[in-house]
Amino acid sequence: MVFLVILLLALFPYKVCQAHIVKCRIQYPHRPLHTYHQSGDFIIGGIVSHGGFISSPGKFTEEPPPALPEELIVMPKFYQHILALAFAVKQINENPEILPNVSLGFHIYDSYVNAKQTYHATMLLLSILEKFVPNYICDIHNILTAVIGGLDSHISLYVSTILGIYKIPQLIYGTAPVTNDKTPGLSFYQMAPQENLQYAGILSLLQHFRWMWIGVVVMDNDNGERFVQTIVPLFSTNGICFAFLERIPNFSFITEITDDFNKGAKLHDNLMDSKANIVVANGESYSMALFRLLPYLSEREHITKNVKGKVWIATAQIEFASFVYQRNWDFGIYHGAISFGIHSRDPPGFHQYLDSRNPPNTEDDGFIRDFWQHAFDCVFPNSITGEVEGNICTGEERLESLPGDFFEMSMTGHSYSIYNAVYAVAHALHAMSASRFRHRERLHSGRLKLQNQLFWQLHLFLRSISFNNTAGDEVSFNQNLEVASSLDVINWIFSSNQSFHGVKVGRIVPQAPPDQVFTIDKDAITWHSWFNQAQPLSVCSESCQPGSSKKVKEGEPFCCYDCIPCPEGKISYQEDMNDCNKCSDEGYPSKNQDVCIPKDRSFLSYEEPLGISLAFFSLSFAFITALVLGTFLNHHNTAIIKANNRNLTYTLLISLLLCFLCVLLFIGQPDKVTCLLRQTAFGIIFSVAVSCVLAKTVTVVVAFMATKPGSRMRKWVGKGLANSIVFSCSLGQAAICTLWLAISAPYPDVDMHSMTEQIIVECNEGSVAMFYSVLGYMGLLAIVSFTVAFFARKLPDSFNEAKFITFSMLVFCSVWLSFVPTYLSTKGKNMVAVEIFSILVSSAGLLGCIFSPKCYVIVLRPELNNREQLMRRKS
């Protein structure tokens, strides 16, 4: 009911003079316990979160009683936020270059982390000082210019709801509020870096240390849900999965504490039982104090001894702060934690300002007494009763003696944001005052009556403000009204005496080049003792080494997998590959299947033993053939040569010589010319040789048959028959080869697949059918020659070579019949070697079987090389 009246007053403003009496029947809310006022021409409002109350839920049947001081739970560390605001105002008022002849003041109220108290405090800022009457302004003093606050996202949202009506600038120094479609358009300036920068920073940190198996702890509120909804898809797409995702409940009333403590105990046990060594924590400013409760809520005995180590990664909103009753609690579980903090520096004079603060010197500060009593665990004497319980506060205690979770002498990130916020408002006021659209007399004093449109104008100047603060950092806002700032990566070191300090080990600078946005010095990080100062690992499954791939376990997150070896023919060259890959055609897997080895180019070369041996035999047989030919030419007119058709003999020897030499076309790297010539030359030359053998055999048969009385075969006896046979048979093979070259000629090619470790450089035969046609035609000639010679083997010796030809054709056919299956079953250079071997053996068989007996007679038994001896042998 009270809040509705407040909104009505805000929506329908009225102004009265001091002479009028304002009568209102609304019930006046209880006066806040803590306020801090300093008068000035322009007032900056402050909504801080210094403490809170734990009470019973209201019954809405009677007016709730006022909050009692003894029900207050103070977070001493947040008192620095108040001092940062007051210090900034003090510096500005002492600086003649900013707002000359105009003074700044402030009104600071505590939100008590409570919606009702926050709305009340915000309306007090809009009312006459200390009077809860919104819009009641009778003079030009205490004009509210802007409001700084709040610390937590939901507090900022409460403040924005009221200030949005008046269009008064609000500068938030904590997390931005979570809004939705039903939330009216709120305009606020965010002094902390944008949330997306922090998400990217956490992801970069996890990827840098290869932490792929993490847990997440958030507060069970809108801010926590926003965090979860953002990071889960972002991290998952980058290979990071979640061992657990726990939400810590918020409690507002005493009746909820027991149930929430039970939930917290189970949460802690689940967290410590997890194998994930990394815990990402997101929450409000006070969340660390709640996290510290978890080990003490556990039902397990000796939970604080030999605590299993975790690496805690905290977001920038979380302060390493404690409630007063946690004064002697152990911080060991958070030793080595890493947090993202708002980049901050100590402004000149801030340390001295803190040293000068004590209760006797700051009577206007309504926060300092409670802060002092809670922080130093002492009590100020009661001026009414004089009774004192506990240690007496002297007011001379030193702030620097307090532990870091109660107070820090260096300016924290949130305090630095408040400090910059005050300066941003001052510079905006200064720019507005100096505007050429203002009358000159308004520069002289702020005592002229200002209209509400002043606040609208201030928005314009705030958006475009840019300045360097006293610490040397630039302050400006982007188009989204977010301060252009950076984040520090801080490693927290906790000592046994409950003291701790943060070490800056990295930074996130969004304005830097892409490869320098995130930087970290991993050698400067101190890890939890559980890890023995080694970099912690956090994976669900051990990394799959190169040579294997991941196989996700059914029903578990994708980070949990088994490692299976790569199948044959595939590799994985990195750890944790999802699939094994085939090598390119020019490579093959190594033995460990972790790298592709370039294939060697394989062909029968003159530089290897096999090539050298075959070339040697080729030239040797060619030389022998040449010797035989020379011997025959030298004994051209002897009887044995005349008896065996000299011309056919010479033709056969020349063709055999060329057969031996054509082997050289098969050795060496194939090129276009050799590929065209090797098979066709071999086929034609060998056909000439076999044709000569056939002609010799037919000649013997015809000559024998012509000796019979009345034989008609006499007309066939002579050179014409032999020449016709050789020419016609050779012409047939030449026709086949010509057709082959015309329709699908051989060409140089590479075979990358037949052999695993080699690329075969070969001659592609073009048309396989034509290749086997050449071999088939040659085989047909050989079979015909063998058949004729076989039937003529018993003819008289003086005219007969048939039995030698029979044996030579038997060798020839045996070689080429075995060639076909052997050729088909081999690959690469071995295939070429098989064909060369067949050529050499079959040619050598013809040479040896046909010509060795004649050479024996000519060279070793010349006395037998005459007609009489031949006729005697016949008889």
Side-chain angles (χ1 to χ4, degrees):
M1 185 66 181
V2 173
F3 179 62
L4 290 176
V5 174
I6 294 173
L7 287 179
L8 288 173
L9 290 173
L11 291 171
F12 302 102
Y14 62 90
K15 301 178 182 180
V16 298
C17 183
Q18 287 182 335
H20 292 90
I21 299 176
V22 179
K23 294 183 179 181
C24 185
R25 294 190 178 185
I26 66 169
Q27 196 165 15
Y28 185 75
H30 301 293
R31 184 176 182 272
L33 290 178
H34 304 91
T35 61
Y36 189 3
H37 298 310
Q38 178 178 309
S39 61
D41 299 321
F42 294 103
I43 296 297
I44 296 177
I47 302 294
V48 298
S49 297
H50 181 237
F53 295 98
I54 300 296
S55 59
S56 300
K59 298 179 180 179
F60 297 97
T61 58
E62 58 183 1
E63 178 187 359
L68 300 176
E70 53 268 23
E71 295 177 342
L72 178 67
I73 298 179
V74 171
M75 190 72 74
K77 190 167 186 175
F78 296 164
Y79 179 63
Q80 193 194 86
H81 303 165
I82 300 168
L83 299 183
L85 194 155
F87 175 68
V89 170
K90 177 178 179 294
Q91 277 193 329
I92 292 169
N93 287 334
E94 294 174 353
N95 187 350
E97 296 182 0
I98 304 178
L99 295 176
N101 302 319
V102 176
S103 63
L104 277 183
F106 56 80
H107 293 170
I108 303 176
Y109 294 98
D110 198 340
S111 69
Y112 299 109
V113 199
N114 177 275
K116 174 185 173 183
Q117 299 287 358
T118 303
Y119 284 125
H120 181 202
T122 306
M123 294 306 299
L124 284 174
L125 291 173
L126 300 169
S127 305
I128 190 172
L129 186 60
E130 297 295 329
K131 301 294 183 182
F132 187 68
V133 184
N135 303 312
Y136 179 64
I137 303 174
C138 281
D139 59 17
I140 60 174
H141 287 285
N142 300 321
I143 301 299
L144 182 64
T145 305
V147 175
I148 299 174
L151 175 57
D152 298 317
S153 60
H154 59 289
I155 299 300
S156 298
L157 182 60
Y158 302 150
V159 176
S160 297
T161 304
I162 303 296
L163 295 184
I165 300 172
Y166 294 89
K167 308 302 180 186
I168 295 176
Q170 178 189 3
L171 294 90
I172 296 172
Y173 62 96
T175 307
V178 179
T179 58
N180 52 46
D181 295 339
K182 297 181 180 180
T183 305
L186 303 177
S187 178
F188 46 79
Y189 301 82
Q190 188 173 343
M191 301 306 299
Q194 56 195 33
E195 293 291 310
N196 291 338
L197 179 62
Q198 191 163 203
Y199 301 146
I202 297 173
L203 177 59
S204 298
L205 180 67
L206 296 175
Q207 290 178 326
H208 180 82
F209 290 109
R210 303 185 68 183
W211 292 331
M212 301 301 171
W213 183 239
I214 67 171
V216 176
V217 177
V218 299
M219 298 300 295
D220 191 9
N221 56 23
D222 291 341
N223 187 37
E225 192 61 30
R226 175 177 61 182
F227 183 79
V228 170
Q229 294 297 326
T230 303
I231 68 165
V232 168
L234 175 63
F235 288 9
S236 297
T237 55
N238 285 276
I240 297 170
C241 48
F242 302 87
F244 58 85
L245 203 162
E246 300 286 356
R247 293 173 172 84
I248 295 182
N250 282 316
F251 56 85
S252 302
F253 305 110
I254 294 176
T255 54
E256 301 174 355
I257 292 179
T258 303
D259 292 338
D260 290 338
F261 276 9
N262 292 333
K263 295 178 183 177
K266 294 180 181 178
L267 185 152
H268 173 267
D269 295 342
N270 293 339
L271 187 151
M272 299 310 296
D273 289 340
S274 173
K275 295 181 180 179
N277 289 324
I278 308 301
V279 180
V280 178
N282 177 72
E284 307 299 343
S285 56
Y286 54 84
S287 294
M288 186 55 68
L290 297 181
F291 295 159
R292 292 188 66 196
L293 283 170
L294 297 180
Y296 296 91
L297 299 178
S298 176
E299 298 176 355
R300 301 180 183 181
E301 296 180 358
H302 310 296
I303 195 66
T304 58
K305 295 181 180 179
N306 300 320
V307 176
K308 182 180 179 180
K310 302 285 184 182
V311 178
W312 288 75
I313 301 176
T315 54
Q317 181 65 9
I318 296 176
E319 292 266 17
F320 277 85
S322 301
F323 295 120
V324 292
Y325 60 82
Q326 296 174 316
R327 185 183 304 272
N328 297 317
W329 287 18
D330 184 25
F331 254 114
I333 189 175
Y334 302 108
H335 179 66
I338 298 175
S339 72
F340 290 84
I342 302 168
H343 174 67
S344 63
R345 295 182 182 179
D346 282 341
F350 184 66
H351 195 281
Q352 293 78 2
Y353 178 76
L354 296 182
D355 281 338
S356 66
R357 301 293 293 190
N358 56 59
N361 297 334
T362 53
E363 295 181 357
D364 294 334
D365 187 349
F367 293 86
I368 192 168
R369 287 178 64 88
D370 274 331
F371 160 75
W372 212 266
Q373 292 181 129
H374 285 88
F376 291 104
D377 192 21
C378 62
V379 180
F380 285 103
N382 192 312
S383 59
I384 299 176
T385 63
E387 297 178 359
V388 176
E389 295 182 3
N391 300 324
I392 298 177
C393 295
T394 64
E396 300 300 325
E397 291 83 1
R398 306 285 294 178
L399 291 176
E400 60 187 14
S401 66
L402 292 173
D405 54 328
F406 276 11
F407 195 83
E408 289 190 54
M409 297 300 289
S410 296
M411 186 172 280
T412 64
H414 287 126
S415 296
Y416 195 63
S417 295
I418 294 173
Y419 179 83
N420 288 333
V422 175
Y423 266 90
V425 173
H427 279 277
L429 284 172
H430 184 83
M432 186 172 64
S433 300
S435 173
R436 56 197 174 101
F437 298 107
R438 294 294 174 190
H439 296 295
R440 194 163 191 81
E441 60 269 15
R442 291 190 178 181
L443 291 173
H444 177 69
S445 173
R447 296 182 179 276
L448 297 176
K449 185 176 181 180
L450 301 177
Q451 298 178 349
N452 286 339
Q453 65 179 3
L454 172 69
F455 307 124
W456 289 88
Q457 295 169 354
L458 190 60
H459 277 287
L460 177 63
F461 290 96
L462 268 174
R463 286 188 174 93
S464 59
I465 201 69
S466 178
F467 63 94
N468 288 332
N469 63 16
T470 59
D473 287 332
E474 183 180 355
V475 180
S476 62
F477 296 101
N478 60 22
Q479 60 183 2
N480 297 322
L481 305 185
E482 298 166 334
V483 74
S485 183
S486 59
L487 289 171
D488 292 326
V489 183
I490 304 171
N491 181 218
W492 293 96
I493 314 300
F494 295 90
S495 304
S496 57
N497 60 356
Q498 306 304 313
S499 64
F500 68 89
H501 65 282
V503 178
K504 292 183 181 180
V505 296
R507 195 172 179 189
I508 303 173
V509 184
Q511 299 84 7
D515 59 337
Q516 299 176 15
V517 171
F518 175 80
T519 56
I520 191 165
D521 181 8
K522 62 181 181 180
D523 296 329
I525 299 177
T526 300
W527 305 109
H528 193 283
S529 57
W530 174 270
F531 304 110
N532 295 321
Q533 281 308 304
Q535 178 184 317
L537 299 176
S538 189
V539 292
C540 181
S541 301
E542 293 294 331
S543 295
C544 292
Q545 298 302 313
S548 61
S549 63
K550 299 189 297 185
K551 181 182 179 181
V552 178
K553 297 179 180 179
E554 187 175 354
E556 297 190 25
F558 62 85
C559 289
C560 303
Y561 48 80
D562 294 319
C563 297
I564 57 174
C566 289
E568 185 177 356
K570 292 186 176 183
I571 67 156
S572 63
Y573 54 89
Q574 292 179 344
E575 291 185 351
D576 294 335
M577 291 189 67
N578 293 321
D579 294 300
C580 297
N581 301 320
K582 285 186 176 181
C583 291
S584 66
D585 291 340
E586 297 183 354
Y588 67 94
S590 64
K591 182 178 180 181
N592 296 327
Q593 294 182 282
D594 56 355
V595 69
C596 286
I597 301 175
K599 291 182 178 180
D600 294 328
R601 299 178 74 85
S602 173
F603 56 89
L604 187 61
S605 72
Y606 290 104
E607 298 176 357
E608 58 182 304
L610 180 60
I612 294 173
S613 300
L614 292 175
F616 172 76
F617 284 114
S618 171
L619 294 174
S620 298
F621 283 123
F623 178 71
I624 294 172
T625 305
L627 287 178
V628 173
L629 179 60
T631 300
F632 274 54
L633 289 174
N634 192 36
H635 299 80
H636 178 71
N637 294 317
T638 60
I640 197 168
I641 294 176
K642 289 180 178 179
N644 290 281
N645 195 327
R646 287 176 295 186
N647 292 335
L648 277 180
T649 300
Y650 296 152
T651 303
L652 177 59
L653 285 172
I654 292 172
S655 62
L656 289 176
L657 175 63
L658 294 177
C659 283
F660 288 126
L661 292 177
C662 79
V663 166
L664 301 178
L665 293 173
F666 291 82
I667 304 175
Q669 183 171 351
D671 55 32
K672 188 174 182 179
V673 175
T674 56
C675 286
L676 287 172
L677 291 179
R678 59 166 56 169
Q679 298 292 1
T680 54
F682 155 69
I684 294 174
I685 294 171
F686 228 109
S687 295
V688 171
V690 177
S691 298
C692 290
V693 173
L694 177 61
K696 289 173 74 67
T697 308
V698 171
T699 300
V700 170
V701 173
V702 171
F704 178 78
M705 294 177 65
T707 59
K708 294 180 180 181
S711 174
R712 298 179 180 179
M713 300 300 294
R714 292 182 180 181
K715 61 180 180 180
W716 296 102
V717 176
K719 298 179 181 179
L721 176 62
N723 292 337
S724 298
I725 292 174
V726 172
F727 179 77
S728 60
C729 292
S730 301
L731 184 63
Q733 185 72 287
I736 295 173
C737 292
T738 302
L739 181 64
W740 184 7
L741 295 178
I743 62 175
S744 182
Y747 58 90
D749 195 11
V750 290
D751 180 2
M752 298 185 176
H753 305 290
S754 297
M755 300 187 70
T756 303
E757 301 180 4
Q758 293 179 336
I759 297 175
I760 301 173
V761 183
E762 62 182 3
C763 286
N764 190 307
E765 306 303 349
S767 173
V768 177
M770 297 303 297
F771 171 68
Y772 284 107
S773 296
V774 169
L775 291 181
Y777 182 82
M778 190 170 58
L780 177 63
L781 293 178
I783 292 173
V784 172
S785 297
F786 173 76
T787 303
V788 174
F790 179 78
F791 287 112
R793 68 188 186 282
K794 295 183 179 180
L795 294 177
D797 289 344
S798 57
F799 301 99
N800 192 6
E801 290 182 288
K803 53 186 173 182
F804 301 119
I805 293 174
T806 301
F807 188 71
S808 67
M809 287 296 101
L810 181 63
V811 173
F812 184 92
C813 293
S814 300
V815 168
W816 287 103
L817 285 176
S818 61
F819 162 78
V820 174
T822 306
Y823 184 82
L824 294 176
S825 62
T826 55
K827 299 293 181 182
K829 66 177 70 175
N830 294 330
M831 178 186 287
V832 179
V834 167
E835 187 170 0
I836 292 175
F837 179 78
S838 299
I839 294 172
L840 292 176
V841 172
S842 57
S843 300
L846 291 177
L847 180 66
C849 294
I850 296 175
F851 293 101
S852 59
K854 298 179 177 60
C855 289
Y856 173 76
V857 173
I858 294 172
V859 176
L860 299 179
R861 301 293 299 274
E863 68 276 7
L864 300 178
N865 190 8
N866 54 66
R867 183 176 179 84
E868 291 77 11
Q869 289 296 328
L870 291 178
M871 294 302 294
R872 185 181 299 172
R873 290 176 61 193
K874 174 184 175 184
S875 60

